[in-house]
Amino acid sequence: MRQGPAWEGGRTDLGFDVPVKQALALRHHTVMGWEHDEAAGGRAGYRVRGVVRRRTSVVGALVAVGVVAAACGSNKFTYLDNGTENTYIRVPTEWKVFTAEGGGSRPEAFPDSVESVWHVAFDANDQPSFENTQALDALPPTSVDKPVGQLQIFNVQGNFNQELSLTTARSTALGIDPLGVPDDVKDLVEIVSYTPIAQDGMQGSRVVYNLHNEGEDWQTVDATTLFDQSRNRFYVLRIGCTSECFKDHQDAISEIATSWKVVR
């Protein structure tokens, strides 16, 4: 039986063991998400500042192309499918799905060599909006009490592509690298679990971490960053909310992360 994290004070505790569910190679499919790996012992920290890291482009309508509601016997999930990029992910049908306009444009704060090719967002709030999902763009994330998420694919060229590493992928996508932060601010960021990825020419990691500003609520983020330098692709999946919310929706969040696939 799978064990979930222990929770105390509205956030994830550290130093416990969580069974590993490795990324699976299903013939020509590589799974981008999976269950929690062993929790990293100890803590990591970073001086967290309450500033917005970057904003995305203008929001379009609810995704109309490449979205299929499907499940065995009932419509439990919405599948978000990008045939051009050979990737798909599923989210609960109760969650609202949005797509960001401006494909082919350069995201703010990224160099000219980085081009956004696909950007979808999903929101479990009772009054969903794309703006809610932008809470993940702040550092630390703005407090939201229902899960929100974003999946982004970038075309990367030149030095940016050549210099991508596990560390730079996380710090670029998340604003910090939760695994490599100074000890003098260790009380502001906590590592819940970490799993490296290395398969079929793709590299990356999945990290679940808690962070906050002093005196503010803890937030928890489940983030997978992946890059394929041979195909000039950089992938980012982020799902998060307050730590209390994350505890309540942990299974749904993990199911979304483990459903993400890229067809090779």
Side-chain angles (χ1 to χ4, degrees):
M1 179 180 296
R2 182 173 65 86
Q3 295 178 331
W7 298 86
E8 180 180 355
R11 67 180 192 274
T12 310
D13 263 345
L14 306 177
F16 53 85
D17 292 333
V18 182
V20 179
K21 182 178 180 183
Q22 297 290 347
L24 304 175
L26 303 177
R27 300 192 63 157
H28 301 293
H29 295 71
T30 298
V31 179
M32 297 301 128
W34 50 90
E35 302 286 347
H36 291 304
D37 196 3
E38 287 188 352
R43 298 185 177 189
Y46 193 85
R47 188 171 304 281
V48 182
R49 301 183 183 278
V51 296
V52 175
R53 179 166 50 85
R54 57 186 172 83
R55 289 294 184 182
T56 56
S57 55
V58 178
V59 183
L62 179 66
V63 179
V65 178
V67 174
V68 178
C72 296
S74 62
N75 293 333
K76 295 181 179 179
F77 302 104
T78 299
Y79 283 81
L80 314 181
D81 178 18
N82 186 315
T84 302
E85 295 297 321
N86 296 322
T87 189
Y88 70 87
I89 190 170
R90 73 182 190 184
V91 300
T93 54
E94 297 85 1
W95 296 27
K96 195 77 166 181
V97 177
F98 301 91
T99 184
E101 294 179 344
S105 63
R106 178 173 64 87
E108 293 181 22
F110 276 0
D112 291 334
S113 56
V114 179
E115 179 183 57
S116 175
V117 295
W118 197 46
H119 184 180
V120 293
F122 35 92
D123 182 3
N125 281 276
D126 295 334
Q127 295 182 326
S129 69
F130 185 84
E131 287 72 19
N132 288 340
T133 74
Q134 290 182 305
L136 295 170
D137 292 334
L139 185 63
T142 304
S143 179
V144 287
D145 58 8
K146 289 292 181 66
V148 295
Q150 295 194 28
L151 173 60
Q152 295 166 276
I153 302 177
F154 302 101
N155 175 30
V156 291
Q157 302 289 334
N159 290 337
F160 187 91
N161 181 46
Q162 296 172 12
E163 296 172 2
L164 273 171
S165 66
L166 300 183
T167 297
T168 59
R170 288 190 297 265
S171 60
T172 298
L174 307 177
I176 61 170
D177 178 8
L179 300 179
V181 292
D183 290 338
D184 60 342
V185 286
K186 62 183 180 181
D187 292 335
L188 301 183
V189 177
E190 298 176 333
I191 303 301
V192 178
S193 64
Y194 169 73
T195 306
I197 307 168
Q199 193 165 354
D200 295 338
M202 291 176 282
Q203 301 180 66
S205 63
R206 179 183 174 190
V207 59
V208 180
Y209 59 100
N210 304 320
L211 72 167
H212 78 143
N213 272 332
E214 292 183 6
E216 297 182 2
D217 291 338
W218 284 86
Q219 314 295 316
T220 302
V221 178
D222 185 331
T224 301
T225 54
L226 185 78
F227 56 94
D228 184 343
Q229 291 170 308
S230 66
R231 299 174 63 201
N232 303 98
R233 285 296 182 265
F234 179 32
Y235 305 82
V236 180
L237 172 64
R238 298 171 293 155
I239 312 168
C241 56
T242 64
S243 294
E244 188 67 30
C245 155
F246 197 97
K247 173 185 66 175
D248 293 339
H249 298 275
Q250 178 188 353
D251 289 344
I253 291 171
S254 184
E255 286 177 0
I256 294 170
T258 60
S259 77
W260 181 19
K261 294 180 176 65
V262 173
V263 181
R264 297 282 291 174

